[in-house]
Amino acid sequence: MTNLLKTQIEQVVLVTDGDFDFILSCFIFKKYKKHQFLIQEGEPVPYLFFIDKGLLKLVYTDDNAKEHIIDFAMEGWWETDLKAFYSQSLASMSLECIEDTQVYALDLEGYNKLRKELPVINEFFLDKTHKGFIAAQQRILSMMKNNTTERFFELQERFPGIMQRVPKSLLAAYIGVSRETLSRLDLK
């Protein structure tokens, strides 16, 4: 199970086995069932999650109780309500399992300990932050300039295999259309 986390770290920085043991000691391994929440809107956000197995959705629910899927997170991805995690404030979004999920959870104390005691990890987290910020900007631009069909194909490209793992209603919520609109698309 830890191979995925180690592989991801080593794609950015080199760490020794001893370094990785230290890294792993800062995480808590957790298992969640389908439909279980890792984060709920209005509650504290104690962890940054690395997804070892499973699939999650990060969701904002508006004042009309409409769900807006901000992101999906699958194996090898990191997810949390970042603002709430870093500021230790209450969540503005929820993180829910679409499938049974296994994660490595890192609290803020562990995050800061890693950064202080293993400085090379700063490069890793900076790389993840940059890539996440770029992906968020690309998603915003896509929502502003691309039509529904283009956004659908971008979804498939960003999340390989997601069509077999997620109901159409969630895919529609991610690209910002109704399920009926998604069903009417000519997706050849």
Side-chain angles (χ1 to χ4, degrees):
M1 289 194 280
T2 59
N3 289 342
L4 186 57
L5 179 59
K6 186 174 184 182
T7 299
Q8 188 178 96
I9 291 170
E10 289 182 334
Q11 288 174 348
V12 180
V13 296
L14 293 177
V15 294
T16 66
D17 288 342
D19 290 341
F20 186 69
D21 290 343
F22 172 67
I23 291 167
L24 206 53
S25 75
C26 294
F27 285 83
I28 300 167
F29 183 73
K30 294 178 163 272
K31 293 182 178 184
Y32 295 90
K33 294 289 185 190
K34 183 177 181 176
H35 301 301
Q36 192 173 358
F37 286 90
L38 286 73
I39 298 171
Q40 286 193 280
E41 184 179 343
E43 294 185 1
V45 179
Y47 300 111
L48 170 63
F49 299 98
F50 175 77
I51 295 84
D52 185 60
K53 183 179 179 189
L55 183 62
L56 305 167
K57 63 177 179 173
L58 184 64
V59 177
Y60 169 73
T61 304
D62 67 21
D63 293 339
N64 297 319
K66 182 178 178 185
E67 244 187 32
H68 302 271
I69 297 181
I70 306 302
D71 215 351
F72 293 111
M74 56 180 53
E75 295 84 359
W77 288 52
W78 295 80
E79 195 62 81
T80 196
D81 179 327
L82 283 173
K83 179 182 180 290
F85 175 73
Y86 287 117
S87 65
Q88 293 295 276
S89 58
L90 302 180
S92 59
M93 299 176 277
S94 297
L95 185 60
E96 182 182 358
C97 296
I98 297 172
E99 301 172 347
D100 289 351
T101 299
Q102 298 175 3
V103 299
Y104 288 95
L106 180 64
D107 64 19
L108 191 57
E109 182 181 335
Y111 173 80
N112 289 328
K113 180 180 177 182
L114 272 175
R115 293 181 57 237
K116 182 179 178 186
E117 296 183 29
L118 189 63
V120 70
I121 207 71
N122 287 314
E123 186 178 339
F124 172 74
F125 283 127
L126 183 60
D127 179 77
K128 291 297 153 194
T129 300
H130 286 160
K131 287 178 179 170
F133 188 75
I134 290 166
Q137 285 183 335
Q138 293 303 309
R139 178 150 157 68
I140 291 167
L141 288 173
S142 177
M143 293 299 283
M144 292 171 31
K145 70 178 190 166
N146 293 340
N147 65 39
T148 303
T149 302
E150 291 167 329
R151 291 194 312 267
F152 177 80
F153 287 120
E154 286 174 350
L155 165 74
Q156 285 184 304
E157 185 177 317
R158 184 164 185 227
F159 302 99
I162 199 158
M163 303 304 295
Q164 293 74 38
R165 297 173 75 177
V166 176
K168 284 188 178 175
S169 59
L170 296 183
L171 299 174
Y174 179 84
I175 62 173
V177 298
S178 69
R179 187 187 187 293
E180 294 75 24
T181 299
L182 183 63
S183 294
R184 287 193 300 267
L185 290 179
D186 183 18
L187 302 172
K188 295 177 184 171

